[in-house]
Every structure is written in structure tokens, then in C-alpha cells.
Amino acid sequence: MIDVLDAVKTYGEVRVVDGVRLALPSGGLTSIIGPNGAGKSTLLSLVARLVGLDGGRVLVDGLDVTTTKSDVLARRIAALRQENHLASRLTVRDLVTFGRYPHSKGRTTPEDLEHVARAIEFLDLGSLADRFLDEMSGGQRQRAFVAMVLCQDTDVLLLDEPLNNLDPRHAVAMMERLRAAADQLGKTVVVVVHDINVAAYYSDHIVAMSDGAVMFEGPPHAVICPEVLSDVYGLPVSVHTIEGRPHATYFR
Amino acid sequence: MSLEIRPTTTAPGPEPSTQRPPSSATPLPPPPTNRRPRWILIGLGATLLVAALAFMTVGAKGSWDFVLPFRGTKLLAMALVGVAVAVSTVMFQTVTDNRILTPSIMGFDALYLLLQTTLVFSIGSARMTAIPAPAKFLLESAVMVTFGVLLYRWLLSGRRRSVHVLVLAGIVLGVFFRSLSSFMTRLIDPNEFQVLQDAMFASFNSFDRSLVWLAALLLGGAVATAWALRRRLDVLLLGRERATMLGVDHQRTVGLVLVVVAVLVSVSTALVGPITFFGLLVANLAYRIAGSHRHAVVMPVAALLGVLALVAGQTVLEQVFEFDTALAVIIEFLGGIVFLALLMRGDKR
């Protein structure tokens, strides 16, 4: 589904993504973890064609993201970026409706409105649908942006730190929803997360990156182990099994 | 936070409401139909009609055969300039992601002055007035379009996209062009300077009437392109990255928008002269009253406001002040105050 073939991205002298080779299958939830500056977000941006490649190729569904027309890709890949600043004043419903643009080209149909209503409902934003984004909390805004991404109704969802600004309750709810998107709607979900245990609990597959390269990848129980994590983060990490699941602790 | 998470979403496992619209559980109220934009447009249109009628008829002395075509041409020029300035400002602010910069603030007016001064300085006012008006008009427009496209492309491409850099570049270029013009005005004959001074303020009294139809043709094309781009402009409001994700070719669209903006600003400036703050005034008023973020609403509202301000202002100027002052002076004064107020409030919307 997503094939990253020796992807390279450099900023000046720094190779932020340094020859990453990765093949993610269709369906399921993949988490990308790693320390700051590991190139996680850049890798996600490369797949989402938000940043141009300096080397290698990225294929989504067999389509090269550099050469395929943007509006074709917009019906296959949706991405959430980290910052959610907006210059103009929009309501939640306005924002989510933008998610239909790849399908409607701005001429919203009743079917589009149904998608919008479903996405708003899915993110529990029903009571906030007609509020302005700049009058909402960071967490609420974050959910509105996720609703927009879901509304795009693509097979691939790329989310850069979807748990930003969310309290534990909403963070859990968000991960449950992404899980549901993968399990019930058959989406391929890729998230960048900082919380190792969130990754361990909710992912089918974990990719651990460091210094622009993929260090390890595999199912949670293979990646969430002291040797791998200590190596990736450069920090002693111990892993305990709680209720049959690996749990990393790293406070000294 | 007042939100309730339903138990089904907090418990792991299947969530039935995700597959289909929640028809039985909690039906979402239908989106409220927003009637405000329509009423605003109707209201503005009606007011404009009244203002235009007043402008055409009030205080008419002498034969209608003279008054109507005379005032009609003036009205057309005001309509063209009002629409061009309003639409170009809205488009420019959308692609630069800010609400305080206008294309004219970005050194355009200063360039127009420099162009006029250079002409007077190099060939003299006598020979300048000898150039056929359409040729001079097209030349001025072409130079400014070229300058505008190059400047905006340079400023908005690559990583130098911050508003601060834009403001700085605009100010620096403006000062540079103004210094060049004022240097040349010091060297020219005082009589020549008189000719030049007429070009320094926008005026609907002294523009060349033979150019109105040519300008209408150029501006009509640009406005039609702007209208065709309206849905893509909406998406550009979300910023470069989100627009790309939604399948809008950002670089190409912004490039096209900037060409349209450059044509609109250049042609209207070449027709009547520079109006610096006018666009800022009508665009920001339009955002406030339009009741929608959609360009299909904001652009017409801004355009109507623009024409209305010019027509009403000119009527007052002619009938109340009896031409004692210039329309541009009134507009610049009000526009300048709005600009300061926006800066003081730190309003980035």
C-alpha cells in the first residue's frame, strides 16, 4: 500500500530522512515513534507529498506521489499536520466540509453533507458544529481537524501527532476512533506518536526511527522491548508486562 | 470541557455508529441554511443602485444628452476601479494568508509614481502628452503587471513566505521608488512638476475617458478569471499544506492568482491613479459583514462595497463639497484610520 523506496530529504547539510526503505501493508494502524528530530514528521510529509523528495521514491497504491496529479492523490491520501493555525474564521462545519473538496470540487452535494455529518458525529463534535474554531479549545480544534481529514474519505490516513492538545480521556477516545477507522472502515492509518505506550497499545505495527533512518520495525511486542527502545531513544527504558501487554517506563 | 463521550467510544471494540449516519441514535440537526450572504448582497446592490441614480441625476444642469454620457463614463470608471481594487485585495490577502497587506501597499503606488516621473523626466511633459493615450496606458499597465508578477513570485516562492518579510520588502521597495521619483522631481522644471502632481492622486475627474472601454475589457477578463477561481481560493484559505492535501496545485494556483491581481491593480492604477488604503478598507469590511468565508460571497460583497464607497463618495464630493477636495483624500483618510486600528488591535483575521 505505502512503499517508501530509499527516500531522502535534506535541509542544507542535514539529511533529515536518510534513505528510508519501508513497506506498509494495506489496512491496520501503524505508529511511527522516535526521539525529536528523528525525521518522523518529515517522512510522513514525504508520503503526503507536502515536502518534495531529494532522492528515492514514494508509492501509494502503486502511484508515485511525485508524479501523480495532486487531485488524484487527494482522493487516496489524507494527512493531518502538527500545527492547526488558520488565518480565516471558520466554523467546525465549514472546516470539515473542506474535506469533501477532492470529491466535490467545492460544489457540495447532499451526499457530501452526509459525509460531513458523519465525520462530525464520529469525532463527537455534534454540539460544536457551528462554533467558530478560534473560539474553541486546542483539543476541540484538534478533533475538528481530524474530522476534516476523515471526511476526505481516503484509504490512507496520515496523522502527525493526532494526540496533541488532548487530555487523557480524549486521547484515548481519539485512538479508539482511529482503531475503529482501521478495523471497521478498512483504512490504512499511520500516526506519529510520542507516547510509546499509546503506540504499544493501539498499533498493529510500530516503526522506530532515529537520525533519519528506520532503526526497527515490527509488531508491538517485538519493538517495545528494553534493548530496542534504549537504543532508539538513547535513554534506559525498562518494559513491564501489565495485563499481558508490554508497558515501557523511562522515569529515573 | 462540556463534551460527553458516549460509552461506546471509550470502550475498545466495534462502534456501530461509525458505519452509517447515526439516523436512529442522535440525528444531527440539518446545517442551518445561511441566508445572511444573500440579504447582504441584495441590500448592498439596492444601496448601490440608489447611489448610482443619485450620482447620475442630482444637481444636473443642462441637457441630459450631455449629462448622462458624461456622468455615465465616470460611473463606469468608478465601477471598474471599485471592483478591481476590492477583488484584487481579497485575492491577495487570501494567498498571502494575512488581512493587513494589500497589493498597493506592496510598492505598487510608488512604482506608478516612479513610472510617471521617469516619463516626464526623460522625455518631458509635452512629448509625454503626445504619446497616444491607449499606447501609454497599455505600456504603463504592462510594466506594472511585469513588476507585480515578478515581485510577488519572488516574495511568495520558496521559504520566504512570512508576512513580516512581505511588509518589509513592500516598505523598502516603496521607499526606494519614492526616493528615485523625488530625486527626479527635484531636477525637473517646476512647470513639468505641475503636470506630474496630477498623477499623484487618484481622480475620477481628470482621467482619460477614451481608455475606459479598454480598461473594462482587461479588467473584465481578470475578474472573470477571479470568479472562475473562487472555489480554489476558498481552499487556499486553509494554507499551503492543507490545500495541497485537498488536491489543489498550490504553486500554480497562487501563480495564476498573482497574475490576475497584478492585472487588476495595474490597470485600475493606470486608469485613475493610486488608491493605497482603499482595498484594505473594503476587504476588511467585507470579511466582517459577509457572514461567510466563501469567495463566491466575499468577492461580490467587497466589490459592491468598493463601488458603493466610490460612487457615494464622489456624489458627496461633487454635490456637497463642490469639488473642493479630492475623493482620494477622503478615502485615504478613512482607510488610513482603519489600517491603524487593525494594526493596533493586532488583528490577523
Side-chain angles (χ1 to χ4, degrees), chain A residues 9 11 48-51 70-71 73-74 77-79 81 83-90 93-95 98-102 105-107 113-114 116-118 120-130 134 137 139-140 143 145 148 152 167 169-170 172-173 176-177 180 184-185 201, chain B residues 1-6 8-22 25-32 34 93-94 96-99 159 229-250 252 287 291-294 347-349:
Chain A
K9 180 69 198 176
Y11 288 122
R49 75 183 178 297
L50 295 175
V51 169
S70 195
D71 58 336
L73 287 172
I77 321 170
R81 298 274 297 157
E83 44 64 57
N84 49 21
H85 157 83
L86 271 185
S88 58
R89 208 169 134 81
L90 298 177
R93 198 189 302 278
D94 293 337
L95 181 77
F98 271 119
R100 297 306 297 167
Y101 184 84
K105 296 284 179 250
R107 285 170 233 261
L113 289 178
E114 212 171 273
V116 171
R118 219 178 303 168
I120 289 177
E121 189 67 15
F122 195 46
L123 269 299
D124 249 325
L125 291 162
S127 56
L128 300 169
D130 295 300
D134 55 357
S137 77
Q140 294 169 330
R143 283 188 285 143
F145 278 101
M148 172 188 156
Q152 213 174 319
D167 59 20
R169 185 174 74 147
H170 286 98
V172 166
E176 296 293 348
R177 289 179 187 117
Q184 291 160 29
L185 310 175
Y201 193 90
Chain B
M1 206 174 288
S2 64
L3 267 170
E4 273 308 309
I5 299 252
R6 294 190 311 280
T8 47
T9 57
T10 48
E15 189 182 2
S17 67
T18 61
Q19 294 274 25
R20 6 197 81 265
T26 44
L28 208 64
N34 190 355
Q93 296 196 336
T94 294
T96 54
D97 206 9
N98 87 91
R99 296 276 163 102
R159 326 210 125 260
L229 285 169
R230 66 194 183 281
R231 295 197 176 90
R232 267 192 271 170
L233 282 165
D234 292 344
V235 179
L236 292 186
L237 285 176
L238 299 177
R240 186 186 74 87
E241 292 183 335
R242 287 192 204 99
T244 309
M245 280 324 301
L246 294 175
V248 170
D249 187 335
H250 188 265
R252 249 191 64 195
Y287 301 136
S292 170
H293 64 279
R294 286 165 46 232
D347 194 329
K348 278 181 259 147
R349 268 181 211 149

Side-chain angles (χ1 to χ4, degrees), chain B residues 89-105:
Chain B
T89 306
V90 170
M91 290 174 95
F92 187 77
Q93 296 196 336
T94 294
V95 299
T96 54
D97 206 9
N98 87 91
R99 296 276 163 102
I100 52 167
L101 290 180
T102 73
S104 355
I105 292 174

Side-chain angles (χ1 to χ4, degrees), chain A residues 97 121 141 146 234 246:
Chain A
T97 308
E121 189 67 15
R141 218 175 308 158
V146 174

